[in-house]
């Protein structure tokens, strides 16, 4: 993914949003809800659901879409991903805002649960 460097600050807007929002709508959410400056160079992540899911009770119709808003110094970049299978791991709306590292953002983008990554080979301790 072309985007922010390894030292980028990453903020997640917990809960879901209307994914029809574009750059201007997401930048307004960053200012109002996250209380951050959209052009600060941080990455802002938003999760949504398909437009045709009117309620959260619809099975398998929740959390498969993500948008990242990022200011690269010249303008805004908007990344959008829809998972074919599965859901993006996300904190509840009650959590407000979550802060991630660049490594956790990379895991999130790939659909890996960044809160509990599983090791393919756990570290071995010498005796």
């Amino acid at each position: 993914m072309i985007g922010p460097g390894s030292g980028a600050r990453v903020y997640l807007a917990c809960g879901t949003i209307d994914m029809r929002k574009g750059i201007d709508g997401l930048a307004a959410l960053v200012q109002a809800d996250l209380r951050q400056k959209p052009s600060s160079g941080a990455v802002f992540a938003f999760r949504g659901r398909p437009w045709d899911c009117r309620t959260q009770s619809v099975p398998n119709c929740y959390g498969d879409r993500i948008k990242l808003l990022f200011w690269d110094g010249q303008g805004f970049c908007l990344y959008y991903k829809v998972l074919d299978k599965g859901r993006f791991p996300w904190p509840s709306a009650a959590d407000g805002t979550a802060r991630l590292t660049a490594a956790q953002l990379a895991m999130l983008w790939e659909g890996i649960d960044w809160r509990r990554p599983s090791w393919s080979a756990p570290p071995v301790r010498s005796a």
Side-chain angles (χ1 to χ4, degrees):
M1 174 174 86
I2 299 171
S6 61
R9 295 178 324 273
V10 181
Y11 297 94
L12 269 72
C14 300
T16 60
I17 64 156
D18 180 356
M19 292 301 275
R20 294 175 289 182
K21 290 187 184 299
I23 290 173
D24 294 333
L26 293 175
L29 283 176
V30 168
Q31 286 182 320
D33 295 348
L34 303 180
R35 293 180 173 47
Q36 297 290 325
K37 184 177 176 185
S39 59
S40 66
V43 179
F44 301 97
F46 304 91
R47 189 179 81 163
R49 58 182 183 262
W51 65 271
D52 57 348
C53 294
R54 295 195 174 97
T55 66
Q56 295 182 9
S57 62
V58 178
N60 301 322
C61 198
Y62 185 72
D64 65 342
R65 293 152 197 264
I66 189 173
K67 281 189 177 181
L68 303 179
L69 182 67
F70 171 65
W71 175 264
D72 71 354
Q74 296 178 335
F76 283 106
C77 301
L78 183 62
Y79 301 96
Y80 182 48
K81 185 169 186 175
V82 180
L83 290 177
D84 188 37
K85 295 179 184 173
R87 301 174 183 169
F88 286 104
W90 213 257
S92 70
D95 293 338
T97 305
R99 199 62 207 275
L100 270 65
T101 65
Q104 289 171 322
L105 174 63
M107 286 187 279
L108 173 66
W109 189 253
E110 295 300 322
I112 299 169
D113 191 347
W114 51 271
R115 298 167 295 187
R116 294 182 307 276
S118 60
W119 294 91
S120 57
V124 178
R125 294 186 180 186
S126 344

